[in-house]
Amino acid sequence: MTDVILEKVGKTYPNGYQAIPSVDLSIEEGEFIVLVGPSGCGKSTLLRMVAGLESISTGELRIRGERMNEKEPAERDIAMVFQNYALYPHMSVYDNMAYGLKNRGIAKNLIEEKVSDVAKMLGLTELLQRKPRQLSGGQRQRVAMGRAMVRDPKVFLFDEPLSNLDAKLRVQMRVEIRQLQRKLGTTTLYVTHDQVEAMTLADRLVVLNKGKAEQIGTPMDLYNKP
Ligand code: ADP
Ligand code: ADP
């Protein structure tokens, strides 16, 4: 089943700069798509349009058949993991993970159950009372991932989630992210400028260049292309 559809999606910023002329992309349910390309090619813009953090200038975005263009981020049933993790510094790990659920008025015992399940999956159980500053980079990354996972979103969006980690941890975390995503079966759109990361993670890659999808295909497809 097709889960996410971008139909001729384009972005022109208010200053008149056309960051994305027109992109077509269909993402299957459970698929892991990596957007790759050099800095400034429009990866972040495209991801932010799917997230609802940036308006769509032209074309249409549909998730499970429903038009999303005008919907607020909270109405899109997506969860985004940011490069800088965007954790609340004054809140514990538990509260960071529970925050989105509390806002939705979910019962306390259900929240506790969900956070505790996800914490277990991510190896965070012993760290739930700590503050973000008391965590390593890899642990912070896991909390950001946990905060996305507790919401059981239809779609995960990742914006260069590993770029603040050292090389060894980057490899470890990328394996973990892929394993978790497979297990949960959540449709994923993942942005990176790291080609090795892209090739390792992707079911299919979208190579962006100056706002255009130059190539779309499996890592093997693209690797074998001249
Ligand atoms: P990437 O994520 O691939 O590095 P971005 O999507 O951040 O690229 O940016 C794509 C292009 O759009 C860049 O040339 C950038 O300078 C430009 N851009 C990004 N945000 C804005 C904005 N708010 N206003 C005008 N131009 C922008
Ligand atoms: P990211 O890495 O998440 O794309 P950036 O550091 O590129 O974020 O940009 C930070 C903020 O500045 C974003 O809100 C982005 O939209 C805006 N921005 C980026 N490039 C430009 C630009 N050329 N002109 C105006 N605003 C920009």
Side-chain angles (χ1 to χ4, degrees):
M1 184 179 128
T2 311
D3 213 20
V4 179
I5 297 180
L6 285 79
E7 213 173 78
K8 297 191 172 57
V9 165
K11 176 72 184 180
T12 303
Y13 280 107
N15 67 356
Y17 182 74
Q18 188 183 40
I20 311 272
S22 174
V23 166
D24 285 300
L25 179 65
S26 293
I27 309 177
E28 300 302 311
E29 190 173 348
E31 201 176 17
F32 199 114
I33 296 277
V34 178
L35 275 176
V36 66
S39 180
C41 73
K43 304 181 295 295
S44 202
T45 300
L46 202 59
L47 195 74
R48 291 166 59 86
M49 284 196 284
V50 176
L53 300 172
E54 201 66 77
S55 65
I56 296 170
S57 307
T58 53
E60 188 170 83
L61 168 70
R62 290 197 296 276
I63 298 181
R64 306 224 167 143
E66 197 184 344
R67 180 181 159 97
M68 289 289 139
N69 291 44
E70 290 80 21
K71 293 217 185 291
E72 293 296 320
E75 298 175 299
R76 293 188 185 205
D77 213 348
I78 48 123
M80 185 145 164
V81 178
F82 296 90
Q83 179 175 354
N84 59 8
Y85 317 131
L87 301 176
Y88 299 109
H90 60 287
M91 287 187 199
S92 66
V93 168
Y94 179 90
D95 286 333
N96 265 285
M97 285 170 64
Y99 186 76
L101 299 179
K102 279 185 187 162
N103 272 354
R104 287 199 282 173
I106 293 168
K108 203 173 165 208
N109 61 328
L110 292 180
I111 295 178
E112 280 173 9
E113 210 173 292
K114 190 74 204 176
V115 171
S116 135
D117 282 354
V118 170
K120 205 176 283 172
M121 262 195 260
L122 291 165
L124 293 171
T125 306
E126 307 301 318
L127 305 174
L128 286 173
Q129 295 317 316
R130 291 210 197 167
K131 298 280 167 61
R133 69 181 139 76
Q134 299 168 311
L135 301 175
S136 70
Q139 290 166 341
R140 281 179 209 174
Q141 217 291 323
R142 282 201 188 92
V143 177
M145 182 75 193
R147 193 175 49 180
M149 282 168 58
V150 294
R151 299 174 45 193
D152 290 323
K154 286 192 193 120
V155 182
F156 282 137
L157 302 176
F158 290 94
D159 193 359
E160 308 241 7
L162 307 181
S163 38
N164 288 330
L165 302 176
D166 64 51
K168 192 173 157 217
L169 206 50
R170 261 201 317 266
V171 173
Q172 187 191 325
M173 288 304 298
R174 109 183 158 211
V175 172
E176 272 186 39
I177 286 178
R178 192 60 172 114
Q179 282 172 348
L180 281 167
Q181 186 274 344
R182 278 215 175 90
K183 189 161 153 189
L184 301 167
T186 312
T187 307
T188 298
L189 191 53
Y190 185 107
V191 162
T192 182
H193 63 267
D194 181 329
Q195 293 195 27
V196 177
E197 198 173 300
M199 288 294 229
T200 322
L201 281 170
D203 289 325
R204 282 190 301 149
L205 293 140
V206 178
V207 183
L208 268 191
N209 191 7
K210 295 182 180 141
K212 295 202 179 94
E214 267 196 342
Q215 296 182 309
I216 302 180
T218 64
M220 280 313 275
D221 287 344
L222 299 195
Y223 191 71
N224 289 326
K225 273 210 178 118

